[in-house]
Amino acid sequence: MNGDQGLFVPLVLGILEGLTEFLPVSSTGHLLLADHFFGLSQPKTFIVLIQLGAILAIVTIYFARLGLLIRDALTGKAYAWRFALSVILACIPAIIVGVLLRDFIQGALWESPMTICVSLLVGGIILLFVDRMPKRETYDDIYHYPWHLAVIIGLFQMLSLIPGVSRSGSTVVGAMLFGASKRSAAEFTFFVALPIMTGAFGYDLYKSRDLIDTSIALQVAVGFAAAFVVGAIVVRYLLNFVSSYGFAPFAWWRIAVGGAGIIALFMMGSA
């Protein structure tokens, strides 16, 4: 394999990570299916390391707002502390379960393409139903989400530990079912992503420290850069897209990918 071919797979996976991480379509599910069906595989450490690119994409786009939140928290502004607590409450359930079940999740579940495809399909149907369901939007400002809503979102986020469910998809569904507007639900997922993804990155990096060497440094750099650039574009324009079109396009994408994957698995005899 020459150098150009050697960098093609990391580039594709980096683009896929940046494109799907913040959309309610499951980045992990797409990366695992890309490996299963198309052989676009890299070591698990690669997937762990390029996630940092997606994390930095949020920090870059929301740098000014994050700076204001930190400043207001340090000067004792109540809303900033209340918002920080809401984000923490929304993260705790998934962090606890993710740590306890990490080996099972990255073993049995990650290695089951049927589980991923069914999760994509079922999750797409649920997302489509919730998106079209008539409901009263009680909460439109993420800074004033009540703590009980943050806890509910956190409980829904636990479902995203199943590959194919989607972290952003589960939080969006939980938020919208209990009164959040579409735009605010999508925006809240960005802030919840920061501690969740940073924690997952740090923990997986520690657990995989003995497997990391310089042999994949260039591949990681390419995937990292692609995930950062594409992730920043997605974060920049997603809220306006959701405000105009809702989540139905993502739901149909999930249904199409999940359904096609199930058919392919049966045709391959690996169902």
Side-chain angles (χ1 to χ4, degrees), residues 116-271:
I116 298 170
C117 291
V118 171
S119 296
L120 283 168
L121 177 63
V122 175
I125 294 172
I126 293 173
L127 182 60
L128 187 64
F129 173 79
V130 173
D131 183 70
R132 295 182 172 181
M133 183 176 65
K135 51 192 171 297
R136 184 177 63 181
E137 295 182 349
T138 306
Y139 310 110
D140 191 44
D141 184 351
I142 59 173
Y143 295 136
H144 293 91
Y145 272 15
W147 290 342
H148 78 270
L149 179 59
V151 172
I152 289 171
I153 292 172
L155 294 175
F156 270 83
Q157 188 171 215
M158 286 193 303
L159 298 173
S160 67
L161 296 171
I162 302 171
V165 170
S166 168
R167 180 195 54 79
S168 59
S170 59
T171 55
V172 160
V173 167
M176 290 173 58
L177 280 175
F178 288 87
S181 66
K182 294 178 181 179
R183 185 183 181 93
S184 72
E187 187 173 27
F188 193 67
T189 65
F190 294 156
F191 286 93
V192 173
L194 280 174
I196 281 286
M197 291 179 63
T198 302
F201 170 81
Y203 184 69
D204 279 347
L205 183 63
Y206 171 76
K207 296 287 284 188
S208 306
R209 64 191 183 279
D210 295 332
L211 305 175
I212 297 174
D213 56 51
T214 57
S215 64
I216 62 169
L218 183 57
Q219 288 87 346
V220 169
V222 171
F224 174 93
F228 172 78
V229 172
V230 177
I233 294 172
V234 170
V235 172
R236 171 66 178 82
Y237 294 104
L238 179 61
L239 296 184
N240 289 335
F241 182 90
V242 168
S243 296
S244 299
Y245 303 103
F247 293 101
F250 307 120
W252 284 115
W253 173 259
R254 292 179 60 107
I255 292 170
V257 172
I262 292 172
I263 293 173
L265 288 171
F266 274 107
M267 293 180 65
M268 294 167 59
S270 56

